Amino acid sequence: PPLPGAAREIAAIAALAPRGGALRLDRAGADEEALSRMLDASHPSLLHFATHGFVFDDPKTAPFLALNRRGTAEAEDGRLTLDEVYGLELSTDLVVLSACRTGSGQVSSDGIVGLTRGFFYAGSPSVMATFWDVTDEATALLMTGFYRGYAKAGAKGASLRTAQLALLADLRAGRVAVTVAGRRVTLPEHPLLWAAFFLSGEP
């Protein structure tokens, strides 16, 4: 299903980039083929996914990020799976997986096998992911704060920490509200809403 907060998240992030510096793949245009073409043509320094993430308890079912589905073939099914991530060749400085449970995976003898590991293998020295399911609205606010700081200082870890503390302060002050069943509801001060994201790799 659509993620209204993700659309606002991407718009806010793109507005922080230098003029012409952000390439966006939105809605119907965000499929696996378009992603592959974009990576081949532009070699972005930063790659941000604002979508649904799926991680399963069954080790036979590969985790994936949801993209637009254009067909039934593996390269068109709208599922950017872990195996497909391993096949990417990235020159990014950072990959942000703004989706549910993207830092989860199967526990093995040498760590967690999941989407985060796939993007490291593909060439990114840093990956930002989530411990658990995230909410649409709070994530949009957190990511906007992160990129505002990152655009100024270029410090990934410090920018994430600053954005999390700012969101926590807004939640604590009752300044974050969402519309549920036609009425506005103020979100509580809870770690589920501000502490889900973590940075792995180079800080």
Side-chain angles (χ1 to χ4, degrees):
L3 293 169
R8 289 190 291 275
E9 177 181 331
I10 293 300
I13 292 168
L16 294 171
R19 187 177 181 87
L23 298 173
R24 294 173 56 176
L25 301 177
D26 293 335
R27 298 182 176 86
D31 58 61
E32 293 169 84
E33 182 182 352
L35 174 63
S36 179
R37 286 198 309 268
M38 184 268 291
L39 292 176
D40 288 342
S42 62
H43 306 289
S45 61
L46 193 150
L47 191 58
H48 183 99
F49 291 91
T51 184
H52 292 287
F54 294 88
V55 179
F56 305 92
D57 295 328
D58 181 2
K60 296 179 181 178
T61 306
F64 67 89
L65 296 172
L67 302 181
N68 185 52
R69 181 177 180 175
R70 301 187 73 84
T72 57
E74 187 176 359
E76 300 177 335
D77 62 3
R79 296 179 179 213
L80 184 63
T81 65
L82 177 57
D83 285 344
E84 290 171 323
V85 172
Y86 278 129
L88 298 176
E89 293 184 10
L90 301 179
S91 57
T92 55
D93 182 52
L94 173 65
V95 172
V96 178
L97 305 178
S98 182
C100 294
R101 300 181 63 201
T102 50
S104 302
Q106 297 299 317
V107 178
S108 71
S109 59
D110 62 343
I112 295 176
V113 180
L115 291 166
T116 301
R117 177 179 290 193
F119 281 100
F120 279 128
Y121 184 88
S124 183
S126 302
V127 180
M128 190 185 298
T130 55
F131 287 114
W132 50 72
D133 290 348
V134 292
T135 61
D136 199 25
E137 296 287 346
T139 297
L141 293 172
L142 179 68
M143 287 292 98
T144 303
F146 165 74
Y147 280 104
R148 190 175 292 119
Y150 185 53
K152 290 179 181 178
K156 293 168 272 193
S159 297
L160 176 59
R161 180 179 183 275
T162 299
Q164 288 174 320
L165 291 175
L167 178 56
L168 173 59
D170 286 342
L171 290 166
R172 188 170 286 168
R175 292 191 290 263
V176 182
V178 297
T179 301
V180 179
R183 64 189 185 94
R184 295 293 283 172
V185 176
T186 300
L187 294 179
E189 175 196 333
H190 197 290
L192 286 173
L193 298 173
W194 62 267
F197 283 85
F198 66 95
L199 179 72
S200 293
E202 294 181 0

